[in-house]
Amino acid sequence: MSSFFTVPSSQRKRKRIETTDLDSSKRRNIATASRRKEKTQPRRVERDGSINGSGSEDIGPTRKQDDEEEGAGVSSESDYADDTGPERRLRLAEQYLDSIEEEIDEVGFDAADIDRDLIADRLKEDVAKTEGRLYRHIASNFAFDIAKKTQFRADTLSTTSIATCPPYVYTVSKDLTLIKWKLPTPLPQPSPNKHKAQSEGAPPFRCRPKQLIYTKGNEHKSKDTTYQHHVARILAVAASSDGRFVATGGADKRLIIWSAAELRSLRVFTQHRDAVTSLAFRHGTNQLYSSSKDRTIKSWSLNELAYIETLFGHQDEVVDVAALAQERCLSVGARDRTARLWKVVEETQLVFRGGGGGERKSHPKQLKDGNFTQTYTEGSIDRVAMIDDGTFVTGSDNGSLSLWAVHKKKPVFTLSLAHGLDPALRPDEAYAEENPGLKVPSSPQPRWITALATVPYSDLIISGSWDGWVRIWKVTEDKRRIEAVAIVGKVQDPDMKGSPVAKVEDTIQVLNYNGTEKENGDEQLIKGVINDISVFERGDRGKTGLCIVAAVGNEHRMGRWKKVKGKNGVVVFEVSAAKISEEVLAAKKDTECRR
C-alpha cells in the first residue's frame, strides 16, 4: 500500500496547471514572447522585472478591459518600468491611501477632508508620538484673555497639589485632607443663529464643581503603623490616566495608593526616608514615580501594588518629578541646581546643570520710577515639566523659565523674571528701630516659579507664582526660545504678545507704604500662591477648549516662609477655542444690535 512517504520523490512533485495564453502572458516577461511559443512549460518571472513593450498588442486591450470592469483606473505596469525601489514604495503607499479614501468615501465623507484631517494628521501624530517629539503648535488656538473663572474651596488650609482625570479633580491640603470633585461640563457655545436664552424649564448650569468624597487624616495616629491615612501634611497627589488609582505623598514619609472610585486606601508604602514631595504617572500606564527629600526617586507598579527600584544621584532634596510615555522620568534637585533624566531601562541618567541667570551685574541700575533692573543668579530649581521626550522646561527661585534639550547640558534659552518682581522691604520691616528712615535697604526680589505645567507634545507652557496671574508661554517652532502668549483672564496688551521677554515695568507689583497693593491698576485675578497647576483638553485634541485648574493657598506648599494674603482653594479656568470665542462674540453683538 503506497503512501506519500513511500512514493518516489519524482512522483511527489506538484504538477503545474495548464493555463491559457492570456493568463500566461500576465505572469511572464513579455520580452520572451517569441520563446514562449516554442516551449510548452511557462517560465516564472519575478514581479519586479521590467515589462517590454513588444507584447503590448497582446495584453493592451485585455488589461484595459479588465480595468474598466473593475473601475479602479490603475494604469498598466509598463508605465512604472523605470521606477526605482523608493519610487515604487512611494507609489504603493499612495495607492494604499487612495484605497482608504475610497473605503471611507462610501460611508459619505468628503475624501479631501479625510485626507487632510484624518489621514495626514493622524499619521504625522502617530509618528511623532512614537518618536516622542513635539508635533502640535496649539498656543495660538485658544482665547486665554476671555477665559471663564470659577473658584471654590472646602474650608481647608493651603491647597498644596492638584490632579485631574476628566471630569474629576483631586485636591490635597496641609490639613491632611484628600477631596474628590467633579467638574461640570461647559455649556455648548451659543450659535449665531440662536438669539433666545435657555428655556426657563431647563435646569440651571452648575458652574462650581461638586464635592463627591472627602477624607481626612489624623496627626495623632503617627505612632499607629496600621493607620491607613496620612498623619502629616499632604504635599503631592497624582491620578492615573485610566481612572483606577490615586496616589498621595506627604511629610509623614508615606506614599498611599487609593482606589479612585471611592477613595479607599489600598496600600501604604513607607520605603521613603523623608517627605514625599512629588508624584507622576507614566502616561498610559500605572507605573508611578515618586520623589522625596531623601534625595531619591522611587518607581512603583500599581497593577501589582509593588515597589520596583530606587534611583540615586541627586545631592539635595528632590522637589519635583515628571514623566511621559517612555519608561523614563525627569527630576529636579532644588539647591543642587541639576535636572536629571533617568533612563530606567538602560539604567543610566543624564545630568543637566543650571545655576545661571543671564548676564551678571555688580550694581543694579535704578530707573526713574524707583524700580531696579538686575539679573538674579539661580539658587534652586523648583519645578520641571516635560514638553516631549527630547525637550523640557524648568522653573527656578530667581523667576526664570529655562528651556532644555536632551543633547545639551546647559539650557537652550532662559527667560528671566517671568512673573516679575516683589517690592523691596519697607524700612520698618528691615530694621528694628522706631524711626529707621525712608531709605530702602534692599532691591526688589524676583517671584519664584511655584507651579509649572505643559500640554504634552505641544508648544504650550503654563506657569504660576504669587503675582496673581496664570501666564501662558509657547515654544517657538525651532525649539530655541520661549515667547509670551497671554495672561489667563486678562486682556493682553498687543505690544506684549509674542514678546520673548516680558517687560519688568509691566509686571512689577507696586507697593505703597500705606499697604495698598495693585498691579498696573488691575485687580489681581488670583489672590495667593499658586502651588500647582493641572491642565487637560476639552473635546477631540482640544478642539473645544482647554481647562486649567490651579491649586491656591496663602502659604507655599513646602513651608510657611512665604505668606501671601489670599484664599485657600482651587481656581478653574475654562478656555474656549479661538474660533468658537469669535463666533460667540459675534452672536452677542448681533443680539445687542437686535435689542
Side-chain angles (χ1 to χ4, degrees):
M1 182 176 179
S2 62
S3 65
F4 177 82
F5 299 99
T6 59
V7 176
S9 60
S10 60
Q11 299 181 16
R12 291 203 306 265
K13 292 182 179 180
R14 295 181 181 178
K15 296 182 180 180
R16 295 183 179 179
I17 302 175
E18 296 293 338
T19 56
T20 61
D21 293 342
L22 177 60
D23 296 334
S24 299
S25 62
K26 294 182 179 179
R27 299 193 304 270
R28 299 177 197 153
N29 194 337
I30 303 177
T32 61
S34 59
R35 300 178 184 177
R36 186 175 62 246
K37 296 180 181 180
E38 299 176 0
K39 296 181 181 180
T40 57
Q41 291 291 341
R43 188 177 69 176
R44 184 181 300 273
V45 296
E46 296 182 1
R47 297 182 178 179
D48 291 341
S50 61
I51 299 176
N52 202 337
S54 60
S56 60
E57 296 179 357
D58 296 335
I59 67 171
T62 306
R63 179 65 60 86
K64 183 177 180 181
Q65 182 178 358
D66 294 341
D67 290 344
E68 291 177 356
E69 291 176 358
E70 295 176 1
V74 181
S75 60
S76 173
E77 290 292 333
S78 61
D79 298 340
Y80 309 105
D82 298 332
D83 284 359
T84 61
E87 291 176 349
R88 183 172 180 275
R89 288 191 291 269
L90 178 61
R91 175 170 54 84
L92 293 177
E94 292 176 351
Q95 293 177 0
Y96 171 71
L97 295 177
D98 292 339
S99 64
I100 295 178
E101 291 181 1
E102 292 175 359
E103 292 177 1
I104 301 178
D105 189 54
E106 293 178 358
V107 186
F109 293 96
D110 186 6
D113 294 340
I114 294 298
D115 180 69
R116 182 179 63 254
D117 298 332
L118 298 182
I119 299 176
D121 292 345
R122 291 296 173 89
L123 287 176
K124 291 180 181 179
E125 290 180 8
D126 292 341
V127 172
K129 281 185 177 180
T130 304
E131 297 179 355
R133 56 183 173 83
L134 186 150
Y135 66 95
R136 299 171 60 198
H137 298 277
I138 61 174
S140 59
N141 296 346
F142 303 100
F144 294 102
D145 52 348
I146 57 174
K148 296 181 180 179
K149 173 198 169 187
T150 302
Q151 188 169 1
F152 61 95
R153 56 175 298 176
D155 295 331
T156 62
L157 298 180
S158 296
T159 306
T160 55
S161 184
I162 194 165
T164 56
C165 182
Y168 302 108
V169 175
Y170 303 91
T171 60
V172 292
S173 61
K174 287 188 175 182
D175 56 353
L176 288 67
T177 59
L178 170 62
I179 307 176
K180 180 180 180 180
W181 309 80
K182 183 176 181 181
L183 290 176
T185 303
L187 287 175
Q189 300 293 345
S191 174
N193 298 328
K194 297 181 181 180
H195 305 287
K196 294 183 179 181
Q198 188 178 8
S199 59
E200 297 180 359
F205 172 66
R206 183 183 179 90
C207 297
R208 294 181 178 273
K210 181 180 179 182
Q211 181 176 321
L212 300 180
I213 304 175
Y214 175 95
T215 176
K216 185 176 182 179
N218 189 348
E219 59 184 3
H220 300 292
K221 298 283 186 178
S222 59
K223 296 183 179 180
D224 187 358
T225 57
T226 62
Y227 186 61
Q228 299 291 308
H229 211 297
H230 286 282
V231 294
R233 65 183 187 276
I234 308 175
L235 302 178
V237 62
S240 61
S241 57
D242 59 359
R244 292 175 54 194
F245 301 103
V246 174
T248 58
D252 54 0
K253 311 176 188 179
R254 294 188 177 192
L255 171 63
I256 303 181
I257 310 301
W258 309 80
S259 171
E262 61 272 8
L263 288 187
R264 177 174 53 88
S265 177
L266 301 177
R267 186 74 181 271
V268 178
F269 295 103
T270 58
Q271 278 83 345
H272 279 294
R273 297 184 178 182
D274 208 333
V276 180
T277 56
S278 181
L279 300 169
F281 275 94
R282 178 185 167 197
H283 283 209
T285 69
N286 289 324
Q287 184 176 356
L288 178 69
Y289 298 101
S290 63
S291 64
S292 172
K293 287 185 177 181
D294 61 4
R295 301 181 293 180
T296 65
I297 297 98
K298 295 185 183 295
S299 177
W300 316 82
S301 176
L302 299 195
N303 290 328
E304 293 81 13
L305 293 177
Y307 158 78
I308 299 178
E309 63 178 328
T310 302
L311 307 175
F312 298 91
H314 279 289
Q315 303 301 313
D316 195 16
E317 58 187 38
V318 187
V319 292
D320 200 8
V321 65
L324 286 181
Q326 294 189 8
E327 196 169 354
R328 56 177 61 179
C329 67
L330 186 68
S331 61
V332 290
R335 294 200 174 274
D336 70 357
R337 295 179 292 184
T338 64
R340 296 176 184 255
L341 179 64
W342 307 86
K343 299 181 179 180
V344 180
V345 178
E346 295 87 346
E347 297 183 354
T348 59
Q349 58 176 298
L350 298 177
V351 182
F352 307 91
R353 300 194 180 276
E359 182 183 358
R360 300 184 181 181
K361 298 181 180 180
S362 57
H363 300 284
K365 180 180 179 181
Q366 187 172 8
L367 303 178
K368 295 181 179 180
D369 56 358
N371 299 330
F372 293 83
T373 60
Q374 182 181 0
T375 55
Y376 299 86
T377 304
E378 186 177 59
S380 172
I381 303 179
D382 298 328
R383 282 298 189 175
V384 64
M386 297 187 71
I387 298 173
D388 57 25
D389 291 325
T391 313
F392 62 95
V393 62
T394 59
S396 307
D397 63 348
N398 64 343
S400 63
L401 289 174
S402 298
L403 182 67
W404 304 75
V406 294
H407 59 276
K408 289 189 176 183
K409 298 300 183 181
K410 289 292 184 178
V412 177
F413 178 78
T414 299
L415 188 147
S416 303
L417 301 176
H419 285 261
L421 296 170
D422 256 350
L425 294 175
R426 298 195 303 261
D428 58 345
E429 294 177 341
Y431 298 98
E433 302 174 4
E434 294 183 359
N435 299 316
L438 298 178
K439 182 180 179 180
V440 179
S442 61
S443 61
Q445 297 298 314
R447 302 186 182 102
W448 311 340
I449 304 297
T450 57
L452 194 62
T454 60
V455 176
Y457 305 107
S458 74
D459 62 340
L460 189 62
I461 302 173
I462 306 171
S463 66
S465 185
W466 59 81
D467 61 335
W469 306 96
V470 174
R471 299 179 186 266
I472 308 297
W473 317 87
K474 73 173 182 179
V475 181
T476 57
E477 294 186 3
D478 58 359
K479 297 184 182 180
R480 300 188 64 86
R481 296 182 68 86
I482 296 177
E483 295 183 352
V485 176
I487 299 177
V488 180
K490 178 181 179 181
V491 178
Q492 189 79 351
D493 186 0
D495 296 336
M496 289 290 296
K497 291 186 177 181
S499 176
V501 181
K503 297 178 182 179
V504 177
E505 58 268 22
D506 290 339
T507 57
I508 192 171
Q509 184 185 55
V510 180
L511 179 62
N512 300 327
Y513 286 148
N514 56 10
T516 60
E517 297 182 6
K518 62 180 180 179
E519 183 166 345
N520 293 336
D522 297 331
E523 184 180 358
Q524 296 179 355
L525 198 61
I526 300 176
K527 296 181 179 180
V529 181
I530 301 176
N531 285 319
D532 198 7
I533 293 177
S534 182
V535 58
F536 62 90
E537 296 175 277
R538 296 281 191 184
D540 183 17
R541 294 176 294 168
K543 291 183 178 179
T544 305
L546 202 68
C547 183
I548 302 174
V549 188
V552 183
N554 54 20
E555 297 175 351
H556 191 273
R557 71 184 187 102
M558 301 298 292
R560 304 186 64 182
W561 53 80
K562 183 62 181 179
K563 282 192 174 184
V564 179
K565 294 182 180 179
K567 296 181 179 179
N568 302 321
V570 179
V571 179
V572 181
F573 292 99
E574 290 289 349
V575 184
S576 60
K579 294 182 179 179
I580 297 178
S581 61
E582 291 177 359
E583 294 178 356
V584 173
L585 292 176
K588 290 182 178 179
K589 291 181 180 180
D590 193 8
T591 304
E592 294 176 357
C593 293
R594 289 177 178 271
R595 291 178 180 177

